[in-house]
Amino acid sequence: MRRKILSAVLAAALVIGSFAGCAKSEPSSSDAGEAGSAAKKNLTFVIVPKVVHPWFDEVNKGAQLQAKALSEQLGVEVKIDYRAPQTADVAEQNTVLEQAAATKPDGIALDPLDYEGNKAVIEEIQKQGIPVVLFDAPAPEGSGLTSVGNDFAEQATIAADKLAELIGHKGKVAVMQGVPTAPNHAERYQAHLDALAKYPDIVVVDGGIDNDSVEEAQSQAAAVLAANPDLKGYLNCDACATGIAAAVEEAGKKDQVTIVSMDNLIEILQYVKSGTITATSSTIPQMQGSMAVLMMWQKSIGIDIPKVVDTGIAYIDSSNIDEWIEMVK
């Protein structure tokens, strides 16, 4: 994965670098004050995830690779300032954003816990001339923000349809939420429900809320398994399926409950390898970090950037698990 991402990053940086001089003559009005950053000797871009979590560590890896590639291409030092809130709390995330903005970085990439709760802080940062982009989250209509990620509804639909197929389109399925206010988690949750609604013989039960915590996912799943001894399948909305898998193994139901999860953390891939998780639908976090930095850099030098950067969806099961473990480890 790292080799592939780095190759893609280098290619993108080379292409963008070739037309950057032309594009600088047409900065967007809102970003006019941001133009000129390219003249700085060094550049610093901030990554603010929802919370401390291994999934975001992978985002940071991609961001670091992009920074390295840009440093080599631009001949300046490009730094990544990774600032993860300790808890999934909007007020804490806003404090992190404000502290990051006070350092006058060249851009901030945010995975919002609750866009409406973050909105005022985001707008204040933009007034300071600091470019802001979102990653792993859709950009709200009218916000003018760029979203780096994928079609979260499509990602969830792929997982739900696959689970339905694996259990013969009938039986009881639990769906666990992540952070309910997080736009991407909410979108995936609704897409799961919409996809399962297509199958009249599937009964959906509340799978709990993990709030982006693997430990909470395990605790919630254990309770759901105890309350639903006839459960056939489990879906979730974030990168916490290892908690569900641990609970299923503890309950001795590895061969009774089929799990189709989200994302490609090495811990999740190892559960796919062992068979406790049957398959996973991944947002490719490394690519999100890489592209988020690239978008911040472009915006910092006054280039118009796309509203949506789609980093793709990977489907991983026993047929390609060895390849993915080799790429991610």
Side-chain angles (χ1 to χ4, degrees):
M1 171 59 72
R2 294 178 185 176
R3 291 193 297 273
K4 289 184 176 180
I5 288 175
L6 182 55
S7 297
V9 164
L10 287 170
L14 285 167
V15 171
I16 291 164
S18 70
F19 67 75
C22 298
K24 276 192 285 188
S25 64
E26 297 179 349
S28 62
S29 58
S30 62
D31 302 327
E34 300 158 14
S37 296
K40 293 182 179 178
K41 182 173 180 54
N42 299 320
L43 299 168
T44 299
F45 299 110
V46 179
I47 304 289
V48 179
K50 288 189 181 76
V51 69
V52 173
H53 191 287
W55 189 90
F56 294 111
D57 292 340
E58 297 301 317
V59 172
N60 189 30
K61 287 179 184 176
Q64 297 289 347
L65 283 172
Q66 180 65 267
K68 182 175 183 292
L70 284 174
S71 295
E72 293 172 356
Q73 292 296 319
L74 299 175
V76 300
E77 184 178 7
V78 180
K79 296 181 179 178
I80 301 300
D81 182 3
Y82 181 72
R83 295 175 177 244
Q86 291 299 310
T87 59
D89 177 80
V90 177
E92 181 178 346
Q93 190 177 46
N94 283 337
T95 298
V96 171
L97 285 169
E98 290 168 342
Q99 292 172 340
T103 68
K104 305 297 182 186
D106 298 281
I108 296 177
L110 167 70
D111 185 353
L113 276 162
D114 179 350
Y115 178 74
E116 288 303 315
N118 298 123
K119 183 178 178 181
V121 176
I122 292 172
E123 291 177 348
E124 181 57 36
I125 292 172
Q126 289 177 309
K127 288 178 183 176
Q128 298 176 39
I130 299 171
V132 177
V133 303
L134 304 184
F135 69 94
D136 199 40
E141 188 70 27
S143 69
L145 293 167
T146 286
S147 168
V148 176
N150 60 20
D151 186 329
F152 304 108
E154 180 183 3
Q155 181 193 13
T157 301
I158 288 171
D161 282 340
K162 178 54 67 175
L163 178 64
E165 176 187 336
L166 291 168
I167 65 173
H169 303 104
K170 61 183 178 181
K172 186 180 289 186
V173 173
V175 183
M176 181 177 286
Q177 299 185 64
V179 178
T181 58
N184 55 342
H185 294 184
E187 195 169 319
R188 288 174 187 144
Y189 181 67
Q190 188 58 52
H192 277 323
L193 299 184
D194 291 345
L196 294 175
K198 295 180 296 187
Y199 309 104
D201 294 328
I202 288 181
V203 176
V204 178
V205 298
D206 183 359
I209 299 173
D210 64 43
N211 281 316
D212 245 339
S213 164
V214 172
E215 292 77 16
E216 187 64 21
Q218 184 172 352
S219 173
Q220 294 279 309
V224 171
L225 290 165
N228 299 276
D230 56 342
L231 194 70
K232 296 286 295 293
Y234 224 127
L235 294 166
N236 72 310
C237 300
D238 57 16
C240 292
T242 50
I244 298 173
V248 166
E249 288 187 349
E250 284 181 357
K253 295 189 172 183
K254 177 179 175 179
D255 297 326
Q256 300 173 42
V257 179
T258 300
I259 306 170
V260 178
S261 71
M262 294 278 136
D263 288 311
N264 67 348
L265 300 183
I266 188 64
E267 296 85 357
I268 293 173
L269 297 181
Q270 288 166 344
Y271 272 116
V272 174
K273 178 69 175 179
S274 71
T276 303
I277 295 176
T278 302
T280 188
S281 177
S282 172
T283 55
I284 317 177
Q286 302 87 349
M287 186 63 77
Q288 290 201 34
S290 172
M291 292 297 107
V293 172
L294 195 59
M295 291 301 101
M296 285 189 285
W297 171 63
Q298 289 189 61
K299 195 160 185 173
S300 76
I301 59 175
I303 297 176
D304 286 336
I305 60 176
K307 297 300 182 188
V308 177
V309 178
D310 192 332
T311 54
I313 300 168
Y315 178 76
I316 306 166
D317 61 12
S318 60
S319 68
N320 58 359
I321 186 59
D322 291 335
E323 176 186 355
W324 274 92
I325 287 176
E326 183 63 27
M327 286 192 291
V328 172
K329 70 180 182 182

